[in-house]
Structures are given as structure tokens and as C-alpha cells.
Amino acid sequence: MYLQSALALSLALPSLSTAARLFATHYDGKVYSLNLEEQGDKFSLTKTHDLTTCGGAGSASALTVDSNRKLLWCVGEGTPGALTALKVEDDGKFNEAAKVETRPGGVDSVMYGKKQEFLAIAHYGNSSISLFNIPFKDNQEVEPFDIVELPPPKVVTEKQSKSQPHQVLLDPTGAFLLSPDLGADVMHVFAIDQNSGKLNKCAPNSTIYYEKGSGPRHGVFVTSGEGHHARLTRSPHRPTRRQGGKTTLYTVEELRGYVCAFDVSYVSDGCPVFTPLSNCFRPYPDSKFPSESTTLAEIRAAGPSLHISVRKDAKFNGDDSLVTLKPDQKTVTDADLFSSGGKTPRSFVINKKGDLVAVANQDSSTVVIVKRDPQTGKLLKEVASLLVGEAPAAGVWGGLSSIVWYE
């Protein structure tokens, strides 16, 4: 009798719902707070809050999640640039906690250090990487504690007139910081001084040199072992790879449109060495893009697969593509492509659970949520979509610039 009553009660109750928080930046100068509600197999994506911040119109370009401090670090690429700390409340509302002017052209940032007490910013428009102590207070006089000036390309062209760092990322040990330089066709590699936060340029044998005109834009590390993820030590001086573990760096190029893979070898004392694993290749069917305007944007990794966003291929009735690859895959078919749900997927992120992908489509200004199988890496279906801000007119720069999960 009790079991029958309990069963009847469970059938009468609605299925449990869960919620997730996302934040997006838009070149209208706003940061948007979004709420994703999941109930059963149905999803609902809504905008809850927005704020003009991070340098204002034309500036807000990237977010770094600092959930331990309940902060978002927003980088602006205007002139001057901007670094803004946004305090996040439990309901998704947020406000400016502190802000400071920076060098122009900030497009990405990353926290690092033993206590995440440092922040590095890639200045695409200023050929440099600036370093800040965080957190800092509003109205506090703040200057970068160091600025790394990047050398110009050896051969200057119209598309590559200067050094253009497009990302800053950490290796899995946290001992090294890398930056793909779209303008100079190199991957800069720095050893981190864990006490001061300063970056020491690694020797040339640790630098990755790409073919001229490649334009490396984005990279991701994959660390694995036999059936499990191998762990790397976090020593600032002697990072080593555990026996049986393997670390690979994957990068995508904007100008040439190739993905490249490099084996990462750690030595007892010194910077890692990156060895090409095979020829770079274009991750698209028949290795041919449909037009000269088609480019790669970002690469992400989760579980058994890599995902790459393709801009302006218009493969899905005008919408662009996400490519799914296995780490050792060298050819791509139409079955490996999935719709981004909009135009120009500039940014996308995978949640920690690995079952959802959020895409920020720049030119359609849509945030699209895609269901993902965390076991196989397969993208399954679009489950939610939302217009965030206004879509720019055709041929006009604007729209969404970045998206993050707040986890």
C-alpha cells in the first residue's frame, strides 16, 4: 500500500528541474547574465540581467570565471582597454566591483599562480601581454606589474603587420604560459615565476614556429593515460610527466585554417619541448573550405573528443558549423559537422559535466545550447537558443564576442 501511494505521488509530482548560469559579452558594450533551466528533456534559456561595462561599446570581448571569489574578469579591447572585476550574486545579478584601464586590444585573459593571484591579458591590438595582481579594489591605483612586449613578424604583410597574440593559456602543470601569435606565426612559451608572477621567455627550442601565413589563433591541451586522465605535477621548476601519461597540444589557425598537434615533452629542468605529431590538416570535408571567408575560431577538448568552431561556412542553411574530431583523426566527413545554430561561432564552451555546449554566434547574436554525449563526444541536438543583444547589420562588426559557464 505504501509503495503504491509513493508511486502515485511520484507520478503526480513534476520532474526535478536544474539550472545553470552563463555569461556572455557583446560588442554593444554589455555583459549579459543568462539562466538555463532544464526540466526533464526540455530546456529554457532566458536573459536575467545585463550591464554596460568593460570599456563600453565596441570593447567587451572576453570573460574569465573566478568562481572562488564570486567574480568575473572582463577584458575590453577598446582604446584604452579595460579590465573589470564583476561581482556575481547568487541570482545571477552582477555589478562592477573594480575597474582599471589597460593597454588597447585586450582579447583574452587567464588566471595563474598558486592562489590564482595573477592575471595575464593578451593584447591583440597592442602586441603585448600585460600582467596584473588580483584581486584589486575599486578606485585603487592599479598598474600591470609587468608587460611582455612581443617582437614583430619577420615578414610583414597586410594581414600580419605586427605581433597579434589572440589567447593566453596555461599548460596542464600550471608552470608555463603560452600565447598563439596570429600576426607572427609563432606560439610563445613562457616559464612562470611562481613567486613574482613574471614570465620568463623560454629558449627557441620550446617556441613553436608555424608556416608563414598560418595565423595561429587558439589552442588546447589534452592530457591522458591508459584509460584515465594522467596527472601532471605542478612544480614550478621541475614539471614531469607521469609514466604512462601523454600530453598533447592542439592548435587551430585562422588564416590557413589548419589544426596542428604537438607532443609535449617535459624535461627535468627547463621548458617543455613541442614535437609535431603529423602534418597539419584542414578539419573540413575534402580539406576544402566553401569560401575564402571561411575561418576557424576556437578549439576545445572534453573527454574523448575535440571540437572546433568554423566561421562563415554556411553549411546548415546559412548557419555555420562545429566540427567534432577524435584526437588522432586526420580526415573529416559531413558526419563530423554539426550546426552552430547561428552565424559566425566566435566562441563556444563545454560545461564541466561535458553534456552541454554553449555557442556564442557573433553575427546572428544568438547563444545556442547543444546537447552532447560526454561518453562519445558526439553532439546530439540543439536544445535552446536565445537572441542576446542585437545582431549587427550585414558586413558591420559587432554581435556576441564570448560566452562562459559560471560553474
Side-chain angles (χ1 to χ4, degrees), residues 17-78:
S17 64
T18 58
R21 179 71 54 190
L22 301 99
F23 289 90
T25 57
H26 194 292
Y27 283 122
D28 63 6
K30 291 184 178 181
V31 174
Y32 293 86
S33 176
L34 310 176
N35 185 65
L36 179 67
E37 193 83 18
E38 178 184 358
Q39 188 163 7
D41 60 351
K42 294 183 178 180
F43 291 78
S44 174
L45 183 63
T46 56
K47 184 189 77 172
T48 59
H49 305 88
D50 65 77
L51 181 69
T52 299
T53 183
C54 205
S59 183
S61 60
L63 294 167
T64 293
V65 175
D66 188 353
S67 55
N68 288 336
R69 299 185 180 105
K70 294 189 175 181
L71 294 175
L72 292 167
W73 294 98
C74 185
V75 173
E77 60 179 296

Side-chain angles (χ1 to χ4, degrees), residues 376-389:
T376 65
K378 183 178 178 61
L379 302 182
L380 302 174
K381 62 178 180 178
E382 177 183 316
V383 294
S385 179
L386 180 68
L387 177 67
V388 177

Side-chain angles (χ1 to χ4, degrees), residues 253-307:
E253 304 167 349
E254 177 174 322
L255 301 181
R256 189 172 62 153
Y258 281 23
V259 59
C260 302
F262 305 89
D263 177 70
V264 186
S265 298
Y266 289 94
V267 297
S268 60
D269 189 11
C271 295
V273 176
F274 301 88
T275 304
L277 287 175
S278 60
N279 292 332
C280 302
F281 70 100
R282 182 166 289 166
Y284 207 78
D286 299 324
S287 299
K288 296 179 181 179
F289 286 151
S291 74
E292 292 184 358
S293 62
T294 303
T295 59
L296 305 180
E298 288 190 343
I299 182 169
R300 304 284 183 185
S305 63
L306 302 165
H307 303 281

Side-chain angles (χ1 to χ4, degrees), residues 62-66 69 73-75 83 106-113 116-123 129-134 145 166-171 174 176-180 190 192 197 199 219 221 234 300:
L63 294 167
T64 293
V65 175
D66 188 353
R69 299 185 180 105
W73 294 98
C74 185
V75 173
L83 172 61
V107 294
D108 190 41
S109 68
V110 67
M111 298 186 302
Y112 65 101
Q116 302 287 278
E117 68 269 40
F118 309 118
L119 184 88
I121 302 175
H123 296 276
I129 299 172
S130 63
L131 310 177
F132 287 84
N133 291 107
I134 58 170
F145 65 81
H166 209 290
Q167 183 195 19
V168 277
L169 70 154
L170 301 179
D171 85 310
F176 302 96
L177 183 144
L178 289 78
S179 182
F190 302 92
I192 297 171
L199 305 179
F221 283 93
R234 293 182 60 85
R300 304 284 183 185

Side-chain angles (χ1 to χ4, degrees), residues 192-225:
I192 297 171
D193 185 316
Q194 297 291 337
N195 294 317
S196 69
K198 290 189 175 182
L199 305 179
N200 299 308
K201 180 69 174 175
C202 288
N205 68 333
S206 289
T207 302
I208 300 173
Y209 297 93
Y210 295 81
E211 288 189 18
K212 186 59 193 171
S214 297
R217 175 186 171 94
H218 204 261
V220 66
F221 283 93
V222 175
T223 301
S224 61

Side-chain angles (χ1 to χ4, degrees), residues 67-360:
S67 55
N68 288 336
R69 299 185 180 105
K70 294 189 175 181
L71 294 175
L72 292 167
W73 294 98
C74 185
V75 173
E77 60 179 296
T79 303
L83 172 61
T84 307
L86 301 172
K87 186 68 174 179
V88 180
E89 305 298 335
D90 291 340
D91 64 354
K93 187 177 181 180
F94 60 100
N95 55 71
E96 288 186 355
K99 57 183 177 181
V100 64
E101 290 186 356
T102 70
R103 286 190 161 198
V107 294
D108 190 41
S109 68
V110 67
M111 298 186 302
Y112 65 101
K114 297 175 183 177
K115 297 181 180 179
Q116 302 287 278
E117 68 269 40
F118 309 118
L119 184 88
I121 302 175
H123 296 276
Y124 179 85
N126 198 256
S127 305
S128 58
I129 299 172
S130 63
L131 310 177
F132 287 84
N133 291 107
I134 58 170
F136 52 80
K137 297 179 181 179
D138 200 14
N139 300 319
Q140 177 182 345
E141 188 172 336
V142 177
E143 296 286 341
F145 65 81
D146 199 15
I147 295 175
V148 180
E149 304 284 359
L150 300 177
K154 293 181 179 179
V155 179
V156 174
T157 66
E158 182 180 354
K159 289 185 177 181
Q160 296 174 296
S161 59
K162 59 183 179 180
S163 170
Q164 296 169 314
H166 209 290
Q167 183 195 19
V168 277
L169 70 154
L170 301 179
D171 85 310
T173 71
F176 302 96
L177 183 144
L178 289 78
S179 182
D181 192 328
L182 195 152
D185 292 323
V186 300
M187 176 72 79
H188 303 286
V189 184
F190 302 92
I192 297 171
D193 185 316
Q194 297 291 337
N195 294 317
S196 69
K198 290 189 175 182
L199 305 179
N200 299 308
K201 180 69 174 175
C202 288
N205 68 333
S206 289
T207 302
I208 300 173
Y209 297 93
Y210 295 81
E211 288 189 18
K212 186 59 193 171
S214 297
R217 175 186 171 94
H218 204 261
V220 66
F221 283 93
V222 175
T223 301
S224 61
E226 295 181 3
H228 65 283
H229 288 292
R231 298 188 179 210
L232 297 175
T233 63
R234 293 182 60 85
S235 164
H237 304 295
R238 293 176 178 268
T240 57
R241 188 169 65 196
R242 286 185 61 179
Q243 185 176 4
K246 178 181 179 182
T247 302
T248 308
L249 170 66
Y250 295 90
T251 64
V252 292
E253 304 167 349
E254 177 174 322
L255 301 181
R256 189 172 62 153
Y258 281 23
V259 59
C260 302
F262 305 89
D263 177 70
V264 186
S265 298
Y266 289 94
V267 297
S268 60
D269 189 11
C271 295
V273 176
F274 301 88
T275 304
L277 287 175
S278 60
N279 292 332
C280 302
F281 70 100
R282 182 166 289 166
Y284 207 78
D286 299 324
S287 299
K288 296 179 181 179
F289 286 151
S291 74
E292 292 184 358
S293 62
T294 303
T295 59
L296 305 180
E298 288 190 343
I299 182 169
R300 304 284 183 185
S305 63
L306 302 165
H307 303 281
I308 300 168
S309 57
V310 183
R311 300 177 294 182
K312 299 185 183 302
D313 73 330
K315 179 74 173 180
F316 296 89
N317 296 319
D319 290 343
D320 295 327
S321 299
L322 301 175
V323 182
T324 299
L325 300 175
K326 298 299 182 185
D328 57 351
Q329 188 173 336
K330 297 297 182 292
T331 59
V332 174
T333 68
D334 285 342
D336 299 312
L337 304 185
F338 192 90
S339 175
S340 73
K343 303 181 188 305
T344 316
R346 175 183 174 87
S347 175
F348 75 100
V349 282
I350 305 167
N351 67 350
K352 288 182 179 179
K353 191 176 178 181
D355 64 341
L356 294 172
V357 180
V359 186

